[in-house]
């Protein structure tokens, strides 16, 4: 069994933390504005970040470690947040993760950021549709869910792009 490097472990821990953090936020804070007059359950920001962290964890620790991280995050959610919310979240993460793998894996050859953007677009839509239906029985927050997750995805990918540009410059100095 390959043990992930410290960076891989840190990414997995951060990813696992986003799952119960999203559910706790929804349980305790409800909905917040996300822009353009839309609102979404506050956990949307953590889930948007989770989509990017999941891909980074897959890069550094592998697919099996990510699947285990989803299970750990779900179990933590059951103990820390509303169990019904954790169940909806687990189902949404499982479906979104499966769809993400289908999109991410073939696009990875074209570059990490391209694969992340495309797979996160599919993942955030699948996660939003399923989570909202199971957790709230309504798609009222769907535009806000998509927008909030997209904000976080774009912000995280922008940071990654900047870091990738700086890395070669600092390595040659």
């Amino acid at each position: 069994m390959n043990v992930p490097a410290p960076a891989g472990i840190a990414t997995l821990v951060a990813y696992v933390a986003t799952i119960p953090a999203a559910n706790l936020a929804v349980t305790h804070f409800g909905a917040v504005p996300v822009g353009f007059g839309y609102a979404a359950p506050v956990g949307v920001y953590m889930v948007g970040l989770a989509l990017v962290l999941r891909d980074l964890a897959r890069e550094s620790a592998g697919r099996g470690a990510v699947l285990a991280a989803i299970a750990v995050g779900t179990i933590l959610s059951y103990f820390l947040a509303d169990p019904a919310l954790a169940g909806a979240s687990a189902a949404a993460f499982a479906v979104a993760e499966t769809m993400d793998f289908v999109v991410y894996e073939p696009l990875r050859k074209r570059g990490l950021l391209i694969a992340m953007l495309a797979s996160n677009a599919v993942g955030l839509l699948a996660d939003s549709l399923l989570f909202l239906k199971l957790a709230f029985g309504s798609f009222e927050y769907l535009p806000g869910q998509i927008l909030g997750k997209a904000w976080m995805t774009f912000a995280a990918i922008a940071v990654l792009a900047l870091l990738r540009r700086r890395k070669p410059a600092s390595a040659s100095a």
Side-chain angles (χ1 to χ4, degrees), residues 22 25-26 29-32 34 39-45 131-132 136 141-142 144-145:
V26 172
F29 301 110
V32 295
V34 294
V42 71
V44 71
Y45 295 116
F131 176 75
L132 290 174
F136 302 111
Y141 292 121
L142 185 60
Q145 283 277 103

Side-chain angles (χ1 to χ4, degrees), residues 23-36:
N23 292 327
L24 278 168
V26 172
T27 299
H28 295 290
F29 301 110
V32 295
V34 294
F36 302 109

Side-chain angles (χ1 to χ4, degrees), residues 94-130:
V95 170
E97 179 66 31
T98 301
M99 294 177 79
D100 182 81
F101 278 142
V102 170
V103 175
Y104 182 88
E105 296 298 332
L107 288 178
R108 181 58 184 97
K109 295 176 186 102
R110 293 184 175 199
L112 176 64
L113 300 181
I114 290 170
M116 288 175 119
L117 279 170
S119 67
N120 287 358
V122 170
L124 73 84
L125 183 59
D127 182 80
S128 296
L129 287 167
L130 192 54

Side-chain angles (χ1 to χ4, degrees), residues 14-72:
Y15 173 63
V16 166
T18 62
I19 300 168
N23 292 327
L24 278 168
V26 172
T27 299
H28 295 290
F29 301 110
V32 295
V34 294
F36 302 109
Y38 295 111
V42 71
V44 71
Y45 295 116
M46 282 290 119
V47 175
L49 181 59
L51 294 170
V52 174
L53 287 171
R54 177 181 58 207
D55 291 336
L56 292 175
R58 186 176 326 147
E59 288 292 318
S60 59
R63 188 182 302 180
V66 170
L67 293 173
I70 291 170
V72 170

